């Protein structure tokens, strides 16, 4: 009996591995079929995540409309996509110059986006601007810039494209948000406020458009790190705050987030929280034990920071 069990274990592991491989391949093919021929608009397509989303959806056969505020970088992305694509299975991406922080032009650019194919099936709101520093050192002008880029710009674009989805009774809107739409972190007041506002808007919108078969999804990673930068070890002190904050700032790789966006579109998920266990626990602690959460966060506020703009 014991010998038989030992012999069966490798076969069992091999069988499980085979099933997982088949599941992954079926999921990959299913993802492609879901977005094939769909008009997909990606904002800030020139960012790390934007590029990966463009790659994933382009490979899946989507008709891409890539938006960004730098034409040369948009053109570079275009060249990179078509250089590795199969022309018989993909569509040539269309490029649109768009700076979401300039809210006065978003409405007109939305018309240009619609003119590309006459409709929009999937809108991926990806653009984001960050700032870090003590609240009293951040000017109101900078506060407004953050709100324009992270809140007003995306909702203006969404409102402009939404009637097309409602009239066709189909569509999906994906907001790539952040953990700071769920909880606040010191020295990021403007950024956290913009992310809270955006999440609140799209949570409300989800219920409003459900009757028109329009899906609203939110994907909230902790942070999206650059391609080649892993969280460094640093000279962290052995304290609760240092441990908590370091775990909280472990970012997700753009490739992982882009694949999660694709899964969210495929499965029509309403909300995805992309984080390791520490940030997830922080969200629950903030909800269930707010005083404990506030005490841990306040313990870490020891140094004043400058106000460098990160985005």
């Amino acid at each position: 009996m014991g010998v038989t069990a030992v012999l069966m274990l490798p076969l069992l592991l091999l069988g499980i591995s085979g099933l997982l491989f088949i599941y992954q391949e079926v999921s990959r093919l299913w993802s492609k079929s879901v977005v094939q021929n769909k008009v997909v608009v990606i904002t800030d397509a020139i960012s790390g995540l934007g590029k990966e989303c463009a790659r994933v959806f382009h490979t899946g056969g989507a008709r891409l409309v890539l938006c960004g505020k730098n034409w040369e970088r948009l053109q570079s992305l275009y060249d990179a996509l078509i250089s590795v694509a199969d022309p018989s299975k993909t569509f040539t991406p269309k490029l649109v110059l768009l700076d979401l922080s300039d809210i006065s032009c978003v409405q007109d650019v939305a018309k240009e986006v619609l003119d590309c194919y006459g409709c929009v099936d999937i809108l991926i709101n990806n653009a984001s601007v960050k700032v870090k520093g003590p609240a009293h050192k951040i000017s109101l002008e900078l506060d407004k810039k953050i709100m324009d880029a992270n809140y007003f710009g995306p909702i203006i674009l969404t409102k402009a494209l939404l009637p097309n989805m409602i009239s066709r009774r189909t569509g999906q809107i994906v907001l790539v948000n952040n953990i700071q739409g769920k909880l606040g972190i010191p020295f990021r007041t403007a950024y956290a406020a913009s992310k809270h506002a955006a999440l609140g808007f799209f949570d409300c919108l989800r219920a409003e458009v459900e009757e028109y078969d329009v899906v609203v999804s939110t994907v909230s990673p902790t942070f999206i790190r650059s391609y080649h930068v892993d969280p460094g070890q640093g000279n962290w002190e052995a304290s609760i705050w240092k441990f908590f904050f370091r775990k909280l700032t472990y970012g997700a790789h753009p490739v992982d987030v882009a694949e999660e966006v694709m899964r969210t579109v495929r499965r029509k998920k309403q909300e995805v929280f992309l984080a390791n266990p520490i940030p997830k626990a922080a969200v629950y602690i903030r909800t269930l034990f707010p005083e404990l959460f506030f005490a841990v966060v306040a313990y870490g506020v020891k140094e004043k920071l400058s106000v460098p703009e990160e985005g």
Side-chain angles (χ1 to χ4, degrees):
M1 182 67 180
V3 175
T4 303
V6 170
L7 293 176
M8 287 295 294
L9 182 59
L11 294 176
L12 180 61
L13 293 175
L14 182 62
I16 293 173
S17 300
L19 290 174
L20 287 174
F21 175 78
I22 294 172
Y23 172 76
Q24 290 174 350
E25 287 300 303
V26 170
S27 296
R28 182 177 61 83
L29 294 174
W30 186 17
S31 296
K32 289 184 177 181
S33 65
V34 167
V35 302
Q36 193 169 23
N37 298 322
K38 299 291 186 181
V39 178
V40 179
V41 178
I42 303 174
T43 64
D44 196 16
I46 57 179
S47 66
L49 175 58
K51 291 176 182 178
E52 290 301 330
C53 284
R55 178 187 59 80
V56 169
F57 283 87
H58 188 247
T59 303
R63 293 182 285 176
L64 291 182
V65 181
L66 305 176
C67 304
K69 59 183 179 181
N70 184 294
W71 185 257
E72 287 74 21
R73 292 175 66 185
L74 277 174
Q75 188 66 51
S76 296
L77 175 59
Y78 172 91
D79 293 339
L81 289 174
I82 64 174
S83 66
V84 297
D86 183 349
S88 65
K89 298 179 180 180
T90 59
F91 294 90
T92 302
K94 295 187 180 294
L95 309 180
V96 175
L97 202 58
L98 171 62
D99 182 0
L100 283 176
S101 64
D102 184 5
I103 60 176
S104 62
C105 72
V106 175
Q107 194 79 32
D108 292 333
V109 175
K111 295 177 182 178
E112 184 180 348
V113 169
L114 280 173
D115 288 341
C116 289
Y117 290 106
C119 67
V120 171
D121 296 303
I122 300 166
L123 168 62
I124 300 176
N125 281 306
N126 167 55
S128 183
V129 174
K130 303 180 183 71
V131 68
K132 179 173 67 176
H136 66 280
K137 290 187 177 181
I138 297 178
S139 66
L140 289 176
E141 289 78 12
L142 188 50
D143 281 334
K144 185 178 182 301
K145 178 182 178 181
I146 299 299
M147 289 299 294
D148 284 347
N150 296 352
Y151 175 68
F152 286 111
I155 72 167
I156 292 172
L157 181 63
T158 299
K159 286 185 174 185
L161 301 180
L162 188 58
N164 179 270
M165 294 183 178
I166 290 177
S167 65
R168 296 166 55 239
R169 301 191 71 87
T170 184
Q172 185 167 3
I173 300 167
V174 180
L175 170 69
V176 179
N177 209 47
N178 187 276
I179 186 178
Q180 293 183 64
K182 292 282 191 179
L183 50 84
I185 298 176
F187 307 112
R188 291 165 176 82
T189 50
Y191 182 72
S194 67
K195 293 301 181 180
H196 273 75
L199 187 62
F201 176 88
F202 285 96
D203 278 350
C204 294
L205 182 64
R206 180 183 295 115
E208 293 182 18
V209 299
E210 184 178 0
E211 64 176 305
Y212 304 109
D213 295 324
V214 176
V215 179
V216 175
S217 307
T218 57
V219 179
S220 298
T222 47
F223 293 90
I224 301 173
R225 67 176 186 261
S226 61
Y227 286 99
H228 305 295
V229 177
D230 291 318
Q233 294 300 313
N235 295 318
W236 292 90
E237 298 174 4
S239 68
I240 296 175
W241 164 254
K242 294 294 186 180
F243 176 78
F244 168 79
F245 188 78
R246 185 180 173 206
K247 289 294 185 182
L248 204 59
T249 56
Y250 270 25
H253 196 281
V255 172
D256 297 330
V257 181
E259 291 175 352
E260 185 58 52
V261 170
M262 173 63 90
R263 282 192 293 270
T264 298
V265 169
R266 186 186 78 217
R267 300 174 183 175
K268 298 188 182 297
K269 296 181 181 179
Q270 294 182 333
E271 184 176 48
V272 176
F273 192 42
L274 193 62
N276 63 38
I278 297 298
K280 287 183 178 179
V283 172
Y284 290 116
I285 291 172
R286 167 65 179 86
T287 303
L288 301 174
F289 308 102
E291 292 185 0
L292 173 61
F293 176 82
F294 296 144
V296 172
V297 171
Y299 180 74
V301 183
K302 296 179 179 179
E303 300 178 359
K304 292 184 179 180
L305 303 180
S306 59
V307 193
E309 191 173 337
E310 299 179 339

